[in-house]
Amino acid sequence: MKKKRKITGLAVLFLFLLRIFPMTVFAAEEGTSSSSRLTLTVSVAGYAADVDGGQAQTALPDGTEITVQGGDQIEGLLFMVEPLEGELYDWIVRCLEGSGTNIRAYDIYFLDKEGNRYEVTEPLTLSFSLNGAYENPAAYYVSESGETQKMEATVSGDQISFVTDHNSYYALAEQTEAEEPDETEGEDETGGAGETSGSGSGTSGSGGTSGQGSPKTGDDAPVGLWMGAMAGSALLAACCLVIYRKKKA
């Protein structure tokens, strides 16, 4: 009786631990005619899609469709997309502070047949459907150390795409439009009527940084004075020459 109670208690404890701690994600080959295709054997937070013909597409609950195109390097792998939430999402938001609003973050990676993460090293294209949620979208890469990089993305219709060569955290954000510069400020910067450049009465141009404060490159002495000095020197030299010849004669 005690032994049965002990076994029952261990079973309950095991089930309780399973509910608290997430299980490691792994994949296995399907025992069907399509043995090259993979399938998840446990429930995970991410959304999977088999890579077929060098590409795959998965759909998220919010309607976002994410497509990858990577050619032979990802053929036969499992494409995984995990929408980030909780503390990890908050960390991503802090990393992207000032980069935009309406941030959506994802962990994007691949699994091999043994369920291990497969690191891509060659360029692949990721595309995200926007579903009308963004007017001026941008895509960002966030490293595990918190460094961010804005991707060179292309927006076509209701889809944004970019090229990358590694698995990582990626995020979409609505870019904050830069404020239009004031006309008077623009004139100051470009030298229209400002005091910092151009032909104004400031310190550059006709009276700017290359004006009063610039080093002198010429001589302020009158030209006539120099001409007179040269003529006098020539006359003196001629007189000396005449006197010298008379004495010699």
Side-chain angles (χ1 to χ4, degrees):
M1 188 69 176
K2 291 183 179 180
K3 186 176 181 180
K4 289 184 178 180
R5 289 180 179 177
K6 186 176 181 180
I7 294 174
T8 302
L10 290 174
V12 171
L13 179 60
F14 178 72
L15 293 174
F16 178 72
L17 291 175
L18 285 180
R19 294 184 65 87
I20 295 178
F21 300 101
M23 294 182 65
T24 303
V25 178
F26 65 95
E29 293 187 47
E30 290 184 353
T32 63
S33 58
S34 179
S35 59
S36 63
R37 296 179 66 82
L38 303 178
T39 181
L40 290 176
T41 59
V42 295
S43 176
V44 295
Y47 298 86
D50 289 299
V51 177
D52 188 12
Q55 62 182 4
Q57 182 182 77
T58 185
L60 308 184
D62 63 359
T64 301
E65 293 182 347
I66 302 177
T67 304
V68 63
Q69 294 179 331
D72 294 338
Q73 66 166 329
I74 61 173
E75 188 64 36
L77 299 176
L78 197 65
F79 178 50
M80 295 293 303
V81 178
E82 290 188 26
L84 301 181
E85 54 187 15
E87 294 183 359
L88 185 52
Y89 173 79
D90 294 338
W91 175 75
I92 294 288
V93 171
R94 290 196 297 272
C95 291
L96 292 173
E97 184 176 1
S99 299
T101 59
N102 190 20
I103 295 174
R104 297 181 183 179
Y106 310 93
D107 185 8
I108 297 179
Y109 57 94
F110 297 89
L111 294 178
D112 61 18
K113 295 180 180 180
E114 286 72 37
N116 302 311
R117 287 206 179 201
Y118 180 89
E119 294 294 332
V120 296
T121 57
E122 298 178 10
L124 54 82
T125 301
L126 289 172
S127 301
F128 299 75
S129 63
L130 302 173
N131 303 329
Y134 297 91
E135 294 182 0
N136 189 23
Y140 292 89
Y141 152 68
V142 183
S143 70
E144 293 183 355
S145 62
E147 297 179 356
T148 63
Q149 177 184 347
K150 186 177 180 179
M151 307 301 292
E152 294 185 4
T154 301
V155 178
S156 178
D158 198 39
Q159 180 174 276
I160 185 171
S161 305
F162 59 86
V163 176
T164 184
D165 59 2
H166 49 77
N167 306 333
S168 193
Y169 300 134
Y170 293 96
L172 302 182
E174 179 71 31
Q175 297 182 88
T176 303
E177 294 184 2
E179 295 182 1
E180 292 295 330
D182 184 76
E183 291 184 2
T184 56
E185 294 178 357
E187 290 178 352
D188 287 345
E189 294 177 358
T190 58
E195 295 182 351
T196 58
S197 64
S199 58
S201 57
T203 57
S204 68
S206 300
T209 56
S210 59
Q212 296 179 3
S214 302
K216 296 179 180 180
T217 57
D219 198 322
D220 292 336
V223 177
L225 179 61
W226 283 106
M227 294 297 292
M230 291 177 65
S233 298
L235 181 60
L236 180 61
C239 292
C240 292
L241 181 60
V242 171
I243 294 173
Y244 173 76
R245 286 180 177 178
K246 284 183 177 181
K247 287 183 179 182
K248 190 174 183 181

